[in-house]
Amino acid sequence: MARGRKIYEGKAKILYAGTEPGTLIQYFKDDATAFNNEKKGVITGKGVINNRISEFLMLRLMEIGIPTHFMNRINMREQLVREVEIIPIEIIIRNIAAGSLSKRLGIPEGTQLPRSIVEYCYKSDELGDPLVAEEHITAFGWASPQDIDDMLAMALRVNDFLSGVFMGIGVKLIDFKLEFGRIFDENGEMRIVLADEISPDNCRLWDIATNEKMDKDRFRRDMGHVEEAYQEIARRLGVLPEEAPDGANDGA
Ligand code: TMP
């Protein structure tokens, strides 16, 4: 499929104009960053694998009625998505303490949380995506109380469903980050849909049997075997591309 002009380049993906109005092509790079761009690197084949994993998970979520921006995968590194107006809030859902929650509150990594905890971060590279409260989101007009209710309801369903999907492949869903966007129909009605991607870049995934980390923390913390971890998640989900994802597979 012919790509249109580049619309936006992020840390892990590039967005191009799609062939039809209201569509975009989401291109998955192998680039990886951590700690708000302080650490930079390449995870070879990551783009190919995240494209597949995100396609698979978005399709499963759509089957249970969660609206998403996903339309179809085009090739090894690209998928066609609906163009949305991204809501500048990252929604983080946590089932087990890890990462910044452990650091901030002194709760050891791996502690089961009494219930799933939801956090909101304001999407801003300059500010390092700071944690914010609902008060900030509504006061500054980033999203309305209704938008927050809708996103929260979807995020909790996504958590329940994905926790089950990952449990089925011997993996614990520790925490993850979602982004949502607005779509306007011909009557000007607004709908909120799940956007961005769902992959080991934005989930923490631990092997149930060994607690081994199978996500981007292996890159963030220089643990090695980063590529293998991403491949293993894809393999267990049944979506590992047949050709070795060596980064050479940019085309169909
Ligand atoms: P944190 O513990 O570093 O706050 O991360 C919580 C979850 O959110 C974890 O699964 C990784 C994901 N995440 C992103 O996807 N993007 C980010 O910029 C950050 C900080 C976290």
Side-chain angles (χ1 to χ4, degrees), residues 38-54:
E38 259 174 51
K39 180 180 171 79
K40 289 191 177 72
V42 168
I43 302 174
T44 305
K46 169 171 85 79
V48 172
I49 285 182
N50 283 358
N51 188 18
R52 295 275 174 136
I53 293 176
S54 197

PDB file of all heavy atoms in Angstrom, residues 38-54:
ATOM      1  N   GLU A  38      16.225   9.330  27.746  1.00  0.00           N
ATOM      2  CA  GLU A  38      17.620   9.406  28.226  1.00  0.00           C
ATOM      3  C   GLU A  38      18.412   8.221  27.711  1.00  0.00           C
ATOM      4  O   GLU A  38      19.591   8.341  27.407  1.00  0.00           O
ATOM      5  CB  GLU A  38      17.641   9.345  29.761  1.00  0.00           C
ATOM      6  CG  GLU A  38      17.812  10.683  30.416  1.00  0.00           C
ATOM      7  CD  GLU A  38      17.677  10.560  31.918  1.00  0.00           C
ATOM      8  OE1 GLU A  38      18.356   9.692  32.506  1.00  0.00           O
ATOM      9  OE2 GLU A  38      16.874  11.332  32.486  1.00  0.00           O
ATOM     10  N   LYS A  39      17.767   7.052  27.679  1.00  0.00           N
ATOM     11  CA  LYS A  39      18.433   5.834  27.209  1.00  0.00           C
ATOM     12  C   LYS A  39      17.850   5.501  25.841  1.00  0.00           C
ATOM     13  O   LYS A  39      16.633   5.456  25.677  1.00  0.00           O
ATOM     14  CB  LYS A  39      18.140   4.704  28.197  1.00  0.00           C
ATOM     15  CG  LYS A  39      18.767   3.367  27.863  1.00  0.00           C
ATOM     16  CD  LYS A  39      18.369   2.355  28.944  1.00  0.00           C
ATOM     17  CE  LYS A  39      18.762   0.945  28.576  1.00  0.00           C
ATOM     18  NZ  LYS A  39      20.172   0.662  28.802  1.00  0.00           N
ATOM     19  N   LYS A  40      18.751   5.298  24.882  1.00  0.00           N
ATOM     20  CA  LYS A  40      18.298   5.016  23.519  1.00  0.00           C
ATOM     21  C   LYS A  40      18.968   3.739  23.032  1.00  0.00           C
ATOM     22  O   LYS A  40      20.130   3.492  23.358  1.00  0.00           O
ATOM     23  CB  LYS A  40      18.720   6.150  22.572  1.00  0.00           C
ATOM     24  CG  LYS A  40      17.975   7.448  22.747  1.00  0.00           C
ATOM     25  CD  LYS A  40      18.311   8.373  21.559  1.00  0.00           C
ATOM     26  CE  LYS A  40      17.574   9.679  21.589  1.00  0.00           C
ATOM     27  NZ  LYS A  40      18.004  10.625  22.599  1.00  0.00           N
ATOM     28  N   GLY A  41      18.256   2.973  22.234  1.00  0.00           N
ATOM     29  CA  GLY A  41      18.860   1.769  21.670  1.00  0.00           C
ATOM     30  C   GLY A  41      17.975   1.190  20.591  1.00  0.00           C
ATOM     31  O   GLY A  41      16.980   1.800  20.186  1.00  0.00           O
ATOM     32  N   VAL A  42      18.386   0.024  20.129  1.00  0.00           N
ATOM     33  CA  VAL A  42      17.625  -0.681  19.098  1.00  0.00           C
ATOM     34  C   VAL A  42      17.372  -2.091  19.612  1.00  0.00           C
ATOM     35  O   VAL A  42      18.270  -2.722  20.167  1.00  0.00           O
ATOM     36  CB  VAL A  42      18.431  -0.725  17.779  1.00  0.00           C
ATOM     37  CG1 VAL A  42      17.804  -1.699  16.798  1.00  0.00           C
ATOM     38  CG2 VAL A  42      18.506   0.678  17.168  1.00  0.00           C
ATOM     39  N   ILE A  43      16.139  -2.539  19.483  1.00  0.00           N
ATOM     40  CA  ILE A  43      15.814  -3.932  19.797  1.00  0.00           C
ATOM     41  C   ILE A  43      15.483  -4.564  18.445  1.00  0.00           C
ATOM     42  O   ILE A  43      14.420  -4.310  17.870  1.00  0.00           O
ATOM     43  CB  ILE A  43      14.620  -4.024  20.775  1.00  0.00           C
ATOM     44  CG1 ILE A  43      14.931  -3.259  22.082  1.00  0.00           C
ATOM     45  CG2 ILE A  43      14.268  -5.475  21.059  1.00  0.00           C
ATOM     46  CD1 ILE A  43      13.757  -3.165  23.065  1.00  0.00           C
ATOM     47  N   THR A  44      16.432  -5.336  17.919  1.00  0.00           N
ATOM     48  CA  THR A  44      16.312  -5.821  16.536  1.00  0.00           C
ATOM     49  C   THR A  44      15.060  -6.679  16.360  1.00  0.00           C
ATOM     50  O   THR A  44      14.840  -7.630  17.114  1.00  0.00           O
ATOM     51  CB  THR A  44      17.575  -6.626  16.154  1.00  0.00           C
ATOM     52  OG1 THR A  44      18.703  -5.787  16.402  1.00  0.00           O
ATOM     53  CG2 THR A  44      17.552  -7.027  14.690  1.00  0.00           C
ATOM     54  N   GLY A  45      14.266  -6.309  15.380  1.00  0.00           N
ATOM     55  CA  GLY A  45      13.056  -7.077  15.078  1.00  0.00           C
ATOM     56  C   GLY A  45      11.858  -6.687  15.922  1.00  0.00           C
ATOM     57  O   GLY A  45      10.755  -7.197  15.719  1.00  0.00           O
ATOM     58  N   LYS A  46      12.047  -5.754  16.869  1.00  0.00           N
ATOM     59  CA  LYS A  46      10.940  -5.358  17.765  1.00  0.00           C
ATOM     60  C   LYS A  46       9.727  -4.841  16.992  1.00  0.00           C
ATOM     61  O   LYS A  46       8.585  -5.170  17.317  1.00  0.00           O
ATOM     62  CB  LYS A  46      11.449  -4.290  18.748  1.00  0.00           C
ATOM     63  CG  LYS A  46      10.332  -3.612  19.542  1.00  0.00           C
ATOM     64  CD  LYS A  46      10.887  -2.729  20.638  1.00  0.00           C
ATOM     65  CE  LYS A  46      11.249  -1.326  20.208  1.00  0.00           C
ATOM     66  NZ  LYS A  46      10.107  -0.418  20.077  1.00  0.00           N
ATOM     67  N   GLY A  47       9.992  -4.021  15.961  1.00  0.00           N
ATOM     68  CA  GLY A  47       8.880  -3.431  15.211  1.00  0.00           C
ATOM     69  C   GLY A  47       8.003  -4.498  14.569  1.00  0.00           C
ATOM     70  O   GLY A  47       6.771  -4.413  14.598  1.00  0.00           O
ATOM     71  N   VAL A  48       8.677  -5.509  14.010  1.00  0.00           N
ATOM     72  CA  VAL A  48       7.943  -6.592  13.344  1.00  0.00           C
ATOM     73  C   VAL A  48       7.085  -7.341  14.365  1.00  0.00           C
ATOM     74  O   VAL A  48       5.913  -7.659  14.124  1.00  0.00           O
ATOM     75  CB  VAL A  48       8.953  -7.548  12.655  1.00  0.00           C
ATOM     76  CG1 VAL A  48       8.253  -8.779  12.115  1.00  0.00           C
ATOM     77  CG2 VAL A  48       9.718  -6.817  11.556  1.00  0.00           C
ATOM     78  N   ILE A  49       7.679  -7.594  15.516  1.00  0.00           N
ATOM     79  CA  ILE A  49       6.977  -8.376  16.542  1.00  0.00           C
ATOM     80  C   ILE A  49       5.863  -7.561  17.187  1.00  0.00           C
ATOM     81  O   ILE A  49       4.747  -8.051  17.372  1.00  0.00           O
ATOM     82  CB  ILE A  49       8.007  -8.893  17.567  1.00  0.00           C
ATOM     83  CG1 ILE A  49       8.761 -10.039  16.910  1.00  0.00           C
ATOM     84  CG2 ILE A  49       7.341  -9.326  18.867  1.00  0.00           C
ATOM     85  CD1 ILE A  49       9.776 -10.698  17.771  1.00  0.00           C
ATOM     86  N   ASN A  50       6.132  -6.303  17.519  1.00  0.00           N
ATOM     87  CA  ASN A  50       5.079  -5.494  18.153  1.00  0.00           C
ATOM     88  C   ASN A  50       3.903  -5.262  17.214  1.00  0.00           C
ATOM     89  O   ASN A  50       2.752  -5.196  17.651  1.00  0.00           O
ATOM     90  CB  ASN A  50       5.643  -4.149  18.638  1.00  0.00           C
ATOM     91  CG  ASN A  50       6.432  -4.299  19.928  1.00  0.00           C
ATOM     92  OD1 ASN A  50       6.534  -5.394  20.479  1.00  0.00           O
ATOM     93  ND2 ASN A  50       7.002  -3.213  20.411  1.00  0.00           N
ATOM     94  N   ASN A  51       4.189  -5.142  15.913  1.00  0.00           N
ATOM     95  CA  ASN A  51       3.117  -4.999  14.927  1.00  0.00           C
ATOM     96  C   ASN A  51       2.171  -6.199  15.032  1.00  0.00           C
ATOM     97  O   ASN A  51       0.947  -6.055  15.087  1.00  0.00           O
ATOM     98  CB  ASN A  51       3.751  -4.894  13.529  1.00  0.00           C
ATOM     99  CG  ASN A  51       2.750  -4.555  12.423  1.00  0.00           C
ATOM    100  OD1 ASN A  51       1.648  -4.083  12.672  1.00  0.00           O
ATOM    101  ND2 ASN A  51       3.152  -4.793  11.178  1.00  0.00           N
ATOM    102  N   ARG A  52       2.749  -7.404  15.105  1.00  0.00           N
ATOM    103  CA  ARG A  52       1.947  -8.635  15.191  1.00  0.00           C
ATOM    104  C   ARG A  52       1.224  -8.768  16.526  1.00  0.00           C
ATOM    105  O   ARG A  52       0.061  -9.143  16.581  1.00  0.00           O
ATOM    106  CB  ARG A  52       2.851  -9.872  15.044  1.00  0.00           C
ATOM    107  CG  ARG A  52       3.507 -10.018  13.728  1.00  0.00           C
ATOM    108  CD  ARG A  52       2.577 -10.710  12.767  1.00  0.00           C
ATOM    109  NE  ARG A  52       3.206 -10.713  11.464  1.00  0.00           N
ATOM    110  CZ  ARG A  52       3.241 -11.762  10.647  1.00  0.00           C
ATOM    111  NH1 ARG A  52       2.661 -12.887  11.002  1.00  0.00           N
ATOM    112  NH2 ARG A  52       3.830 -11.677   9.490  1.00  0.00           N
ATOM    113  N   ILE A  53       1.964  -8.505  17.608  1.00  0.00           N
ATOM    114  CA  ILE A  53       1.361  -8.683  18.937  1.00  0.00           C
ATOM    115  C   ILE A  53       0.209  -7.695  19.103  1.00  0.00           C
ATOM    116  O   ILE A  53      -0.881  -8.038  19.557  1.00  0.00           O
ATOM    117  CB  ILE A  53       2.411  -8.494  20.061  1.00  0.00           C
ATOM    118  CG1 ILE A  53       3.444  -9.622  20.026  1.00  0.00           C
ATOM    119  CG2 ILE A  53       1.735  -8.430  21.431  1.00  0.00           C
ATOM    120  CD1 ILE A  53       4.589  -9.477  21.034  1.00  0.00           C
ATOM    121  N   SER A  54       0.439  -6.429  18.699  1.00  0.00           N
ATOM    122  CA  SER A  54      -0.592  -5.419  18.872  1.00  0.00           C
ATOM    123  C   SER A  54      -1.805  -5.733  17.992  1.00  0.00           C
ATOM    124  O   SER A  54      -2.953  -5.591  18.434  1.00  0.00           O
ATOM    125  CB  SER A  54      -0.022  -4.035  18.549  1.00  0.00           C
ATOM    126  OG  SER A  54      -0.866  -3.048  19.077  1.00  0.00           O
TER     127      SER A  54
END
